[in-house]
Amino acid sequence: MSSDLYDYSASEPEKPAKAIESGLYIVATPIGNLADMSQRAIEMLRAADLVAVEDSRVTGKLLHHLGLKKRMRPYHDHSSEADRDSLLAAARNGVVVLVSDAGTPLISDPGYKLVRAAREAGITVSTAPGPSAAITALSISGLPTDRFLFAGFLPSKTKARADVLAEFTHVKSTLLFYESGPRLGASLQSMAEILGPRDAVVARELTKKFEEVVSGTLPQLADHYAEVEPKGEIVVVVGPPTEAAHEVGDYEGALKIALESMPPAKAAKDIAKRFGVDRAEVYERAMALKSGA
């Protein structure tokens, strides 16, 4: 492509910036590196009459970095319907920008009710797209990107986590999860037991100084992080199921977890399909486990 397509002459008069009309604007912010803030996102923040934030201390640092002073109002999981109505009223006659602490708002963050209500009220809703930890991790994972499913944070309780993971066992897509350092080892162990020896990646502190991307099978990663509690924001990327994954591994650990939430027949059917073993054999083992044998 010819480079002169990007040769903007200095003698050409600069076009005045188009005023931003009133409405609600969903603005992505950096997940680590402040240089990832887009010019359009900065312009929206500059035009904002009000900025709805997850944490005013976090957004305050970003605004200070950009040389901006803006009125901020909290909007998070504990915000009330009255808080939402107040933001909508402000967006009818002014520019309201919604940001999260990092990345794209609404992705594992509150906000969809606000967007839905704004649309229903006929208020303009637009966005300045940008960073997302999930998409960033997927793009550098080396795992299939043609189909993927973002599942957010897994539950912290072992049984609840197992129940959620069981829903994904037959999903033929790459899976994306957010996780914290203290919970990573336990989550990876549950993934290894329920999803099997799939290829996976743990991506930590993306775009920051201590960015780390560790790949391996789920059992390998579970063993590694059983001894290491990493710091920072973490994305776990898990490859889709393969036939090879069904032929490898001891199914008993996964069967024990399945039996916590399923009757023996259903658990046997699920585990037999996942691990490629005889259903009758699995059912027999399930009944033995139920009886304490």
Side-chain angles (χ1 to χ4, degrees):
M1 183 181 292
S2 174
S3 61
D4 61 4
L5 290 177
Y6 299 95
D7 182 15
Y8 297 103
S9 172
S11 61
E12 184 178 338
E14 183 178 351
K15 295 181 180 178
K18 182 180 178 181
I20 297 177
E21 64 178 298
S22 62
L24 174 65
Y25 293 84
I26 312 304
V27 173
T29 58
I31 59 176
N33 193 320
L34 293 179
D36 292 336
M37 190 74 180
S38 76
Q39 187 60 42
R40 188 158 169 265
I42 295 171
E43 289 172 0
M44 286 186 178
L45 281 171
R46 185 175 289 123
D49 298 300
L50 180 65
V51 182
V53 305
E54 203 176 344
D55 187 327
S56 59
R57 295 166 298 181
V58 174
T59 302
K61 291 178 182 178
L62 175 64
L63 292 174
H64 178 75
H65 172 77
L66 298 173
L68 300 175
K69 290 185 178 181
K70 293 292 173 180
R71 283 196 305 133
M72 292 183 282
R73 187 175 299 173
Y75 189 78
H76 43 60
D77 285 327
H78 305 293
S79 295
S80 66
E81 186 175 346
D83 295 327
R84 188 161 61 248
D85 290 342
S86 177
L87 290 174
L88 293 175
R92 285 189 179 93
N93 301 301
V95 175
V96 174
V97 168
L98 174 68
V99 298
S100 64
D101 285 350
T104 300
L106 279 75
I107 306 303
S108 205
D109 283 318
Y112 85 89
K113 291 181 180 178
L114 178 64
V115 170
R116 182 174 61 189
R119 290 198 171 282
E120 290 174 350
I123 295 170
T124 297
V125 179
S126 190
T127 182
S132 168
I135 299 301
T136 301
L138 177 64
S139 70
I140 61 173
S141 68
L143 296 173
T145 58
D146 53 334
R147 294 180 63 187
F148 59 90
L149 185 153
F150 173 67
F153 284 93
L154 289 168
S156 58
K157 301 288 187 180
T158 302
K159 182 180 182 303
R161 184 168 60 237
D163 289 345
V164 171
L165 286 170
E167 297 175 9
F168 302 133
T169 53
H170 303 308
V171 175
K172 295 182 179 179
S173 302
T174 295
L175 305 175
L176 306 174
F177 301 94
Y178 284 165
E179 197 48 273
S180 65
R183 303 188 338 173
L184 180 62
S187 288
L188 287 170
Q189 183 61 42
S190 293
M191 291 180 195
E193 291 173 349
I194 295 171
L195 300 178
R198 301 189 193 183
D199 290 332
V201 162
V202 172
R204 183 178 70 87
E205 292 290 83
L206 292 170
T207 78
K208 299 178 184 178
K209 181 178 180 180
F210 297 106
E211 175 177 298
E212 179 183 60
V213 180
V214 180
S215 59
T217 64
L218 282 172
Q220 289 170 343
L221 292 172
D223 288 344
H224 175 71
Y225 286 104
E227 307 297 330
V228 178
E229 184 179 298
K231 296 180 180 180
E233 304 296 327
I234 297 165
V235 183
V236 180
V237 187
V238 181
T242 64
E243 291 304 317
H246 293 167
E247 298 169 1
V248 180
D250 176 14
Y251 66 78
E252 186 160 320
L255 179 60
K256 288 178 181 178
I257 293 175
L259 286 170
E260 294 178 7
S261 58
M262 303 178 190
K266 189 174 187 307
K269 179 181 177 181
D270 180 70
I271 297 302
K273 186 173 182 180
R274 281 168 47 196
F275 286 83
V277 292
D278 181 69
R279 183 174 172 180
E281 173 191 331
V282 181
Y283 180 75
E284 182 179 349
R285 185 59 190 144
M287 295 304 294
L289 288 170
K290 274 289 189 181
S291 66

